[in-house]
Amino acid sequence: MQLRFRVLALCLLLLTAATAVSAQVTDTTKPLSDPGLIELSSARSPKEYFIGGVKISGTKYLDDALLLSISAISVGDKILIPGGDNFSKAIGNLWKQNLFSNVQIYYTKVVEDTIYIEIEVQERPRLSNFSFKGAKKSDNEDLEKKTGLVKGRVVTENVKLTAIDNIIKFYSEKGYKGVTVTIEEKPDPALANSESLIFNINKGKKVKVNEVNFYGNSNIAEQKLKKQMKGTKEMTKMTLFPIAKESAFGKNEKMSFKQYVRNYGFLSFSKTRDFLDPYFRLKFSSAKFDETKYVADLDKVIEYYNSLGYRDAEIGDRKEYYTKDGNLNVDIKVKEGDKFYFGNMSWKGNTKYSDSILNLVLGIKKGDVYNVKTLNRKLGKEMTQEGGDISGLYQDDGHLFFRIEPIETAVYNDTIDHEIRLVEGPQATIKNVTIAGNEKTKEYVIRRELRTVPGDKFSRDLLIRSQREIANLGYFNQETIGIDPRPNPDDGTVDINYTVEEKSADQLELSAGWGGGIGLTGTLGVTFNNFSIKNILSKSSWDPLPTGDGQKLSLRVQSNGRPFRSYNFSFTEPWLGGKKRNSLTVSFYNTKYSNSYDYNTGRYSSKGADTSFLKNIGFSVALGKQLKWPDDFFTLVYSLNFTQYKLRNYPNLFPGLRTETATNVSLKVALSRSSVDAPIFPRSGSNFTFSGQFTPPYSILDRSIEKSSNPYRLVEFHKWRFNGEWFVPLGRALGADNKGFVMRAAAKLGFMGRYNNKLGYSPFERFQVGDAGLTNNFGILGYDIIAHRGYPVYDNSDPKINPDKQQANQFFTMFNKYTVELRYPFSTNPSSTIFGLAFFEAANGWYEYKDYNPFRLRRSVGLGARFFLPMFGLLGFDYGIGLDRLQPGAKLTGAAKFTFMLGFEPE
């Protein structure tokens, strides 16, 4: 901007400006002969003036008061003329906002020692519209998001350059090379001071990688190096690999395609294909060329070499050239260098632990292949949640200021000796612990989960444990939980700052329908996982319900018209009394199943619903306590359960019984241990539960029950359960990152016993095995639901006898189940956690201990997916194939079963 002066009086004022932004000062009201102006212009020494008034002009969208505040010029301010920098600073302040294409300052009049000024601005145009020329219609939506353009915002040079860069990056990632973008700016006559941007895109040619060739790799096979270049694959190829196999001609032979044609000729496409199928397999791969990924892949190649001991490996010459058809060949020369091994490890500076202990924790022996990444991980220079490194050993005991550095002391032949230098430092004490980001959850709910308490010794392990406990609450985005330890070396303390991001934790279950003759069917269920019962009478806390105290409230109503209805209520206080992790859970349930179908009319009648039914009503109270031994991952839970069953004119349930009442009073004791790192998609840790459930031995106390017409009037049994599951991250083993594959291994066992051998096993509280873990009508009897994918609910212990559909009328008194899953997360976003899985499962049930055989199981394999939506909870879909349902000559689909799961699998 060219600096122009209309009044000589203010020349001296603006010559002091130290900014590249220029201003124009002018008098719009007084002639040049004004005595005050002559006096101002002829001043030889600086003089102070007061600003008597400031006017903003030229604005169309912006607020004058806001601009005046940004300029930092106010009425009454003192300015020095000449020599002052007030005006230059004002112009600089306004210019830095990137809102103006021109800023000028005028004066309007001077009265004695008072000056009046006007700040004139010219706003940059605003974006009214934008479009992309040369892009496919399918690309437009992606480009709108990638460019970050927003209608109505100010158009700056930075906005335009950023949009161009993102467009080029977008098409480069799609494999286009030589992308160019130009911008055409057009004023919009419909809107004042607005313009539209037209991006003219020349995508160039889409480039595919034809071949990737490595040279100089005498020790590592080329195919292994290509596997490291996951972002730079060779273009689609069809390769025929001969496979030795017994042929139709009775020879175990390998035959090339040319040899086959030469020997047998082309009969027909189908016959040729049929012959080739046993002998050849097709290999497909495809990739586009992405410069960014290509460079990153070269680094991965070097990392791979380093992991194998070639610490001096480097990429030499590279050549990229085009083939005749426009595809790209990539030639890469590698300089492998020598392969190295670890030599002697010596320690310096360690006073707390001996060399032998440190060597044991390090786990690197002389002769191991040299890998600097492994060395750094074992030393703890790369912090991981797994721990087990040298830094963790010290930091778990308070040595926050601990430092460690490996120094190469000797390199001879192919061996490298190291001296590990330590600075143990003093033990640090936790001083302040702060929590931020909890907009809804009360701070004490988070603070009581923390293992880092002011005054305690610092521990990295407890820091990681605190993060895990916060994640397991389920109220926060586990991917964004932040921990920021801030050491204070002066006083040997550390401040720890936790940051959380709230997410929706409540769940809604809603369905409705209408059935002919049945009536209204549906389910309404709500679960509030961060409820506050103490604020239930406070109107200001209802938004829509009182929340923030970490309690759980669940309500559920289900109806299938006249045949079935169910009510469920439960409330959990995880910290009874607020001082210790002692949980209290109370629940109530009422379920009724009616045999109200009228075979004469083909409809369900309300009269039948009252004359033939099976229903239960009950409640339970559970008290849990966190244990300190063997460690504080253990929890002991006692629960007292009461259930009353009523049976009226209900046939085919118990032999000889049609109208009876049974009462079940039991005490359940469960010992659990949970160390998983996340509740929805655990990557590490385990869950174990061992429980025993007991009723009083009524038949031992009262022998007359043995001869009673209803020996089940007072339900008696003892039941034992074991559930265990382990989560193991496989990312490192499979070459992926720590968010890659996870293996889940699980085992479940259950046994029911009786006190009196003269009475049969209780018909209540048995085990229903099969299907997706959803109960059938007999679930009203309190059965434990055991899912077995690939099979309907079954009631026979022989794996060779399998129903085509659910038809079980009796259920097992013991069962075994084993599961192995390979899981992979597609999205760990808290608003939609999605992961896929492949599974192998084996299970079975038995009625008598003499028939029990833990190796005689029904097996199944399949694929599945899980979707966690905060509002609806966990949804699961599985396609399982029952291997023991396969019949010779039958189609595979006859042994397959699609299952749907709602919520977590019952324990």
Side-chain angles (χ1 to χ4, degrees):
M1 194 186 303
Q2 182 66 34
L3 202 62
R4 295 183 291 119
F5 299 90
R6 298 181 184 175
V7 182
L8 182 61
L10 289 183
C11 285
L12 296 175
L13 176 122
L14 292 178
L15 283 174
T16 61
T19 179
V21 182
S22 56
Q24 182 174 9
V25 182
T26 242
D27 179 5
T28 59
T29 59
K30 291 189 176 293
L32 292 175
S33 59
D34 184 277
L37 303 182
I38 296 172
E39 180 184 352
L40 184 64
S41 62
S42 61
R44 295 183 178 180
S45 59
K47 180 181 177 182
E48 274 191 345
Y49 290 87
F50 290 93
I51 295 180
V54 182
K55 179 183 177 184
I56 304 291
S57 63
T59 55
K60 293 182 173 63
Y61 295 98
L62 301 173
D63 181 67
D64 290 355
L66 177 62
L67 297 185
L68 189 60
S69 174
I70 293 173
S71 71
I73 293 180
S74 304
V75 175
D77 285 354
K78 293 180 180 180
I79 60 173
L80 194 65
I81 300 177
D85 61 355
N86 303 69
F87 292 161
S88 62
K89 285 184 177 180
I91 294 173
N93 290 341
L94 293 169
W95 192 255
K96 281 189 284 187
Q97 307 307 311
N98 283 324
L99 299 173
F100 310 106
S101 59
N102 195 6
V103 180
Q104 304 183 32
I105 296 182
Y106 299 85
Y107 85 95
T108 56
K109 64 179 179 179
V110 177
V111 180
E112 297 180 353
D113 60 352
T114 302
I115 188 171
Y116 296 81
I117 65 171
E118 177 182 340
I119 302 176
E120 184 181 59
V121 296
Q122 184 178 343
E123 294 183 10
R124 291 184 185 273
R126 293 180 176 263
L127 184 62
S128 63
N129 203 358
F130 57 92
S131 59
F132 307 97
K133 281 188 178 180
K136 292 181 181 179
K137 186 179 283 187
S138 58
D139 291 341
N140 282 346
E141 186 175 343
D142 290 332
L143 288 173
E144 288 177 7
K145 295 177 181 177
K146 297 283 186 182
T147 55
L149 296 171
V150 178
K151 295 178 182 179
R153 287 191 178 175
V154 174
V155 180
T156 65
E157 289 301 318
N158 184 58
V159 167
K160 292 185 283 188
L161 290 174
T162 301
I164 290 175
D165 289 344
N166 288 335
I167 292 171
I168 293 175
K169 182 180 178 182
F170 174 76
Y171 281 107
S172 295
E173 290 175 352
K174 283 180 167 285
Y176 291 92
K177 244 194 162 186
V179 183
T180 59
V181 181
T182 60
I183 298 180
E184 186 179 345
E185 301 180 55
K186 289 186 176 181
D188 190 339
L191 294 171
N193 198 36
S194 296
E195 66 178 21
S196 59
L197 300 180
I198 302 171
F199 293 88
N200 297 301
I201 303 172
N202 181 7
K203 295 184 289 188
K205 182 175 177 59
K206 191 169 188 176
V207 177
K208 289 186 177 180
V209 179
N210 181 55
E211 288 183 351
V212 177
N213 303 304
F214 283 93
Y215 300 93
N217 54 311
S218 56
N219 295 302
I220 307 297
E222 183 179 57
Q223 200 60 35
K224 290 185 177 180
L225 298 179
K226 288 182 178 181
K227 285 183 178 180
Q228 310 310 311
M229 302 188 69
K230 301 185 185 301
T232 310
K233 297 286 187 180
E234 294 173 330
M235 64 182 292
T236 303
K237 294 181 179 180
M238 185 178 75
T239 307
L240 294 173
F241 292 90
I243 301 175
K245 187 174 181 180
E246 186 74 16
S247 73
F249 303 96
K251 295 180 180 180
N252 192 359
E253 59 183 8
K254 289 185 178 180
M255 186 179 298
S256 70
F257 182 74
K258 288 182 179 179
Q259 184 181 354
Y260 165 73
V261 174
R262 185 166 56 249
N263 291 349
Y264 303 106
F266 281 103
L267 303 178
S268 69
F269 175 77
S270 61
K271 290 184 178 181
T272 302
R273 181 196 60 198
D274 292 342
F275 179 82
L276 290 176
D277 277 348
Y279 288 88
F280 303 95
R281 63 177 181 265
L282 300 181
K283 177 185 176 184
F284 292 96
S285 61
S286 67
K288 55 207 171 187
F289 182 76
D290 184 334
E291 182 75 30
T292 304
K293 291 182 179 178
Y294 172 54
V295 174
D297 284 342
L298 295 177
D299 291 337
K300 291 177 182 176
V301 170
I302 297 303
E303 286 181 10
Y304 179 65
Y305 265 107
N306 293 159
S307 69
L308 298 177
Y310 298 90
R311 69 160 192 170
D312 298 327
E314 60 181 21
I315 299 295
D317 297 332
R318 288 167 22 199
K319 184 187 293 185
E320 295 92 30
Y321 55 94
Y322 292 96
T323 62
K324 291 181 180 179
D325 53 3
N327 293 315
L328 195 67
N329 283 347
V330 178
D331 292 345
I332 305 169
K333 185 176 182 179
V334 295
K335 298 178 180 179
E336 294 182 329
D338 296 326
K339 185 172 183 176
F340 288 89
Y341 301 86
F342 284 110
N344 296 314
M345 294 283 182
S346 60
W347 301 85
K348 185 177 181 180
N350 53 308
T351 60
K352 187 164 189 172
Y353 300 104
S354 65
D355 291 2
S356 58
I357 292 177
L358 295 178
N359 282 324
L360 185 65
V361 175
L362 184 65
I364 296 177
K365 299 177 181 178
K366 184 176 182 178
D368 287 352
V369 173
Y370 178 82
N371 185 345
V372 67
K373 195 169 184 179
T374 299
L375 177 61
N376 288 333
R377 188 176 71 250
K378 293 286 189 178
L379 294 177
K381 295 179 71 67
E382 300 176 3
M383 182 175 173
T384 62
Q385 287 200 4
E386 288 82 2
D389 51 67
I390 301 296
S391 294
L393 181 67
Y394 276 92
Q395 292 181 352
D396 286 346
D397 197 33
H399 294 273
L400 176 62
F401 307 103
F402 171 82
R403 297 196 306 275
I404 189 169
E405 195 66 39
I407 304 297
E408 293 183 3
T409 56
V411 180
Y412 50 95
N413 298 326
D414 59 355
T415 304
I416 303 175
D417 290 344
H418 285 84
E419 180 180 80
I420 313 299
R421 298 177 182 175
L422 293 76
V423 178
E424 294 179 335
Q427 290 179 319
T429 303
I430 300 173
K431 186 177 183 180
N432 298 312
V433 177
T434 62
I435 301 169
N438 51 313
E439 300 173 353
K440 183 170 63 174
T441 305
K442 305 291 195 309
E443 182 171 309
Y444 79 88
V445 174
I446 305 171
R447 192 170 291 276
R448 68 192 183 189
E449 301 291 336
L450 302 181
R451 305 307 171 98
T452 52
V453 180
D456 285 359
K457 192 166 52 177
F458 175 82
S459 169
R460 190 181 78 172
D461 179 63
L462 294 181
L463 202 67
I464 295 172
R465 177 72 184 277
S466 297
Q467 183 182 28
R468 177 183 297 171
E469 297 295 343
I470 294 174
N472 286 338
L473 284 173
Y475 312 149
F476 310 106
N477 179 355
Q478 64 188 42
E479 301 294 326
T480 60
I481 296 173
I483 304 178
D484 181 21
R486 297 190 176 182
N488 307 309
D490 295 337
D491 59 1
T493 63
V494 57
D495 295 334
I496 303 176
N497 304 321
Y498 293 91
T499 55
V500 296
E501 178 186 338
E502 297 267 11
K503 71 173 186 177
S504 176
D506 301 329
Q507 296 173 6
L508 172 67
E509 182 183 356
L510 182 63
S511 65
W514 182 268
I518 297 178
L520 180 66
T521 65
T523 300
L524 174 61
V526 290
T527 301
F528 304 100
N529 288 304
N530 194 3
F531 190 66
S532 174
I533 196 169
K534 72 178 183 180
N535 291 323
I536 200 166
L537 299 179
S538 173
K539 292 183 179 179
S540 60
S541 300
W542 285 70
D543 186 27
L545 283 174
T547 59
D549 283 331
Q551 298 156 345
K552 182 177 180 179
L553 176 66
S554 179
L555 302 166
R556 190 173 187 268
V557 178
Q558 183 178 5
S559 171
N560 286 345
R562 297 185 182 94
F564 177 81
R565 60 111 180 103
S566 175
Y567 311 120
N568 293 273
F569 162 83
S570 69
F571 172 79
T572 300
E573 167 54 75
W575 284 71
L576 185 63
K579 294 183 179 180
K580 293 184 179 181
R581 197 189 295 262
N582 297 331
S583 64
L584 173 67
T585 300
V586 294
S587 61
F588 170 82
Y589 47 91
N590 187 332
T591 306
K592 180 179 181 181
Y593 181 79
S594 303
N595 186 29
S596 55
Y597 186 77
D598 189 332
Y599 291 92
N600 294 321
T601 63
R603 300 173 66 87
Y604 288 90
S605 66
S606 58
K607 184 177 180 180
D610 295 329
T611 58
S612 178
F613 62 80
L614 171 65
K615 69 178 181 180
N616 70 7
I617 184 171
F619 67 86
S620 66
V621 179
L623 181 64
K625 180 179 181 180
Q626 185 182 37
L627 304 180
K628 298 293 184 182
W629 185 89
D631 59 39
D632 59 3
F633 287 110
F634 279 89
T635 302
L636 185 63
V637 179
Y638 305 89
S639 60
L640 179 64
N641 310 283
F642 171 85
T643 306
Q644 187 178 72
Y645 305 95
K646 287 191 176 182
L647 174 71
R648 176 177 295 179
N649 295 324
Y650 203 90
N652 303 325
L653 185 58
F654 309 127
L657 298 179
R658 295 180 63 90
T659 302
E660 293 294 345
T661 297
T663 302
N664 180 0
V665 179
S666 65
L667 175 67
K668 183 176 181 179
V669 182
L671 179 66
S672 303
R673 186 183 190 274
S674 177
S675 61
V676 294
D677 62 340
I680 307 301
F681 184 75
R683 296 188 179 95
S684 63
S686 59
N687 288 318
F688 294 98
T689 300
F690 178 74
S691 67
Q693 187 174 358
F694 317 92
T695 65
Y698 299 110
S699 63
I700 301 297
L701 301 175
D702 184 0
R703 291 292 181 177
S704 65
I705 293 179
E706 299 175 4
K707 301 178 182 180
S708 171
S709 61
N710 178 14
Y712 308 116
R713 179 173 56 85
L714 295 173
V715 179
E716 67 173 33
F717 64 90
H718 55 92
K719 184 164 64 174
W720 307 86
R721 289 287 309 271
F722 170 80
N723 296 338
E725 58 179 352
W726 300 260
F727 297 91
V728 180
L730 302 180
R732 189 171 297 155
L734 298 178
D737 58 20
N738 65 347
K739 296 185 179 180
F741 289 96
V742 174
M743 184 184 74
R744 172 183 176 261
K748 290 187 177 184
L749 313 173
F751 301 90
M752 171 181 278
R754 53 187 174 180
Y755 299 112
N756 191 333
N757 290 332
K758 295 182 180 180
L759 295 178
Y761 289 101
S762 167
F764 304 96
E765 301 284 349
R766 294 194 177 197
F767 305 108
Q768 173 189 302
V769 185
D771 204 54
L774 299 176
T775 182
N776 65 5
N777 300 331
F778 297 123
I780 194 173
L781 301 176
Y783 295 150
D784 287 5
I785 311 301
I786 313 300
H788 190 182
R789 293 166 286 191
Y791 292 88
V793 176
Y794 49 86
D795 58 6
N796 194 295
S797 300
D798 187 350
K800 297 180 180 180
I801 301 176
N802 294 288
D804 292 329
K805 58 182 180 179
Q806 293 181 193
Q807 57 182 19
N809 290 318
Q810 56 179 335
F811 299 98
F812 299 113
T813 59
M814 61 197 78
F815 82 95
N816 282 17
K817 178 185 174 183
Y818 309 98
T819 303
V820 176
E821 290 181 350
L822 185 64
R823 299 178 167 191
Y824 186 82
F826 298 116
S827 169
T828 54
N829 189 309
S831 62
S832 57
T833 301
I834 305 171
F835 62 91
L837 57 89
F839 67 85
F840 171 80
E841 213 158 59
N844 206 359
W846 299 268
Y847 295 100
E848 298 289 344
Y849 287 94
K850 64 180 181 179
D851 299 324
Y852 175 70
N853 185 345
F855 303 105
R856 195 181 187 193
L857 305 169
R858 288 176 168 87
R859 302 154 300 160
S860 65
V861 295
L863 301 173
R866 299 291 182 269
F867 305 83
F868 180 81
L869 304 175
M871 196 65 180
F872 301 101
L874 188 67
L875 307 177
F877 303 90
D878 293 297
Y879 186 79
I881 299 173
L883 300 179
D884 293 285
R885 297 176 66 198
L886 288 171
Q887 299 296 327
K891 292 184 178 180
L892 188 66
T893 54
K897 185 174 177 59
F898 179 82
T899 52
F900 169 75
M901 184 190 75
L902 181 62
F904 292 92
E905 183 180 343
E907 294 188 350

